[in-house]
Amino acid sequence: MEEVIKLDEIDKYNKLFGLETRHPLVSVVDLSKATQWPEHCKINYGVYALYLKDTYCGNIMYGRQSYDYQDGTIVSFAPGQIVETKMIKDVQPNAHGILFHPDLIRGTALGQEIKNYSFFSYETREALHLSEEERETVMDCLHKIEIELKHNIDKHSRRLICANIGLLLDYCMRFYERQFTTREEVNKDIIVRFERLLDEYFDNETPLREGLPTVKYFADKVFLSANYFGDMIRKQTGQTASEYIQNKLIERAKEDLLATDKTTSEIAYRLGFQYPQHLSRMFKRVTGCTPNEFRSQN
């Protein structure tokens, strides 16, 4: 069985590619300077990593899918993710990137914010494609961090390094939002499919088997990660995917309340609620009245 490299130290990565380690918790890497590289490896990330790929130098597998990247593309990974990389034989990799250990940002503002950078959990076919100008911005951020790493460590070092990593991640968030907009046609198609899948879910016996629908259930159906799917839905509709599902639940409940003589309990179980009072609570929170009040008023 193929060995999985547990990448829990920055130095391990640098040794893998024959690069110098300047700081134990963070490294800005330029793979065009790599003196060696594995042709094929499986890495279990214990650090955060973000790469800017400049030329096609190999295939990255995440889960069962191949990463969607061309020239000038960003891919990123978070601790706990297992990634398979295949390099083309005798072709020097050409990518810039940054790797940083969770300990670097522990107790800092960035440490508290890191969970908001949802793109670390994007999976398949969800890489960020950059314009030339955006690429320059990313390179500028990496360059600033690199300068800081070459500077003698003093009391400002950690704060400045973390601030610049935060800046880089903020730019990536902005560029992803731009990508959601430029891919609007594709995304609209996914929202149409989401709407259709929601209807199918409630038209069949699925709620009785699966319970309440989850964001992950629909993300899987359209071959996206839950985070990418959720961010895209929010960008397109102004609602989170959970709110979208909740509104559909309330719509369905209203229909049943007015078009059938089913009890609130029967409607709740039919929609996938485990306990009828959960439907009543959600219904009252969203509409301002209980299901029975809604029925008698209408």
Side-chain angles (χ1 to χ4, degrees):
M1 209 169 104
E2 187 192 355
E3 189 203 354
V4 177
I5 298 163
K6 177 82 179 112
L7 190 66
D8 48 6
E9 290 170 23
I10 298 298
D11 192 50
K12 271 192 195 173
Y13 183 89
N14 287 334
K15 282 203 171 93
L16 202 59
F17 288 88
L19 298 165
E20 181 192 357
T21 299
R22 292 181 184 277
H23 191 295
L25 297 179
V26 56
S27 184
V28 172
V29 298
D30 175 357
L31 291 186
S32 69
K33 296 196 171 106
T35 54
Q36 60 185 51
W37 53 90
E39 258 179 56
H40 183 232
C41 65
K42 230 178 201 173
I43 294 175
N44 180 356
Y45 277 89
V47 300
Y48 290 94
L50 185 145
Y51 304 102
L52 169 60
K53 304 271 177 189
D54 278 334
T55 56
Y56 187 82
C57 61
N59 238 333
I60 291 183
M61 294 295 289
Y62 184 78
R64 290 187 305 277
Q65 305 268 2
S66 213
Y67 237 124
D68 159 24
Y69 75 77
Q70 291 123 20
D71 297 358
T73 308
I74 281 183
V75 295
S76 50
F77 307 106
Q81 292 176 357
I82 296 175
V83 177
E84 190 181 346
T85 306
K86 289 176 183 169
M87 300 279 185
I88 299 169
K89 195 174 166 59
D90 302 328
V91 174
Q92 176 84 32
N94 187 5
H96 293 83
I98 182 166
L99 294 97
F100 58 97
H101 196 281
D103 285 353
L104 177 78
I105 61 172
R106 227 177 278 289
T108 66
L110 179 59
Q112 291 167 335
E113 288 283 307
I114 197 78
K115 62 181 179 301
N116 299 330
Y117 298 107
S118 43
F119 54 80
F120 276 113
S121 306
Y122 292 174
E123 290 173 18
T124 53
R125 314 195 185 290
E126 297 164 353
L128 174 58
H129 303 279
L130 300 180
S131 69
E132 190 49 48
E133 196 179 307
E134 289 169 348
R135 188 190 168 282
E136 278 173 29
T137 302
V138 168
M139 286 304 294
D140 185 49
C141 289
L142 290 174
H143 185 56
K144 284 196 176 85
I145 299 163
E146 196 171 21
I147 289 170
E148 202 44 55
L149 290 175
K150 286 177 181 170
H151 196 284
N152 288 335
I153 292 180
D154 59 26
K155 63 177 183 180
H156 303 289
S157 302
R158 184 167 175 238
R159 211 161 72 88
L160 285 166
I161 290 167
C162 288
N164 277 301
I165 293 173
L167 186 65
L168 170 64
L169 302 183
D170 283 342
Y171 275 120
C172 288
M173 285 289 270
R174 170 186 274 178
F175 300 155
Y176 254 115
E177 293 215 340
R178 184 269 308 147
Q179 183 162 296
F180 287 139
T181 308
T182 53
R183 292 186 170 186
E184 207 148 326
E185 283 313 304
V186 178
N187 297 346
K188 273 185 187 148
D189 179 49
I190 286 170
I191 287 169
V192 169
R193 284 171 65 198
F194 179 31
E195 188 68 41
R196 194 168 63 237
L197 286 163
L198 264 168
D199 283 332
E200 280 171 13
Y201 194 93
F202 292 116
D203 288 342
N204 297 315
E205 298 292 298
T206 321
L208 298 171
R209 283 197 318 274
E210 306 274 343
L212 289 173
T214 62
V215 175
K216 188 181 180 309
Y217 174 89
F218 296 108
D220 286 348
K221 292 280 186 197
V222 294
F223 305 107
L224 294 172
S225 66
N227 272 24
Y228 189 93
F229 179 71
D231 288 349
M232 191 197 73
I233 295 292
R234 192 174 62 241
K235 181 76 182 146
Q236 291 288 318
T237 67
Q239 296 177 318
T240 65
S242 300
E243 286 167 344
Y244 205 93
I245 292 169
Q246 180 183 277
N247 289 341
K248 179 62 81 173
L249 276 164
I250 298 297
E251 262 177 49
R252 287 288 177 140
K254 283 179 174 177
E255 254 171 63
D256 279 351
L257 285 163
L258 299 184
T260 73
D261 51 10
K262 286 180 193 161
T263 65
T264 305
S265 293
E266 285 172 324
I267 293 168
Y269 293 131
R270 180 73 195 78
L271 290 174
F273 286 92
Q274 216 176 338
Y275 304 104
Q277 58 269 37
H278 289 178
L279 168 63
S280 299
R281 217 172 293 150
M282 182 194 283
F283 197 93
K284 180 150 183 148
R285 193 180 70 243
V286 175
T287 67
C289 59
T290 66
N292 287 337
E293 285 165 356
F294 176 80
R295 185 175 250 165
S296 59
Q297 285 163 11
N298 291 277

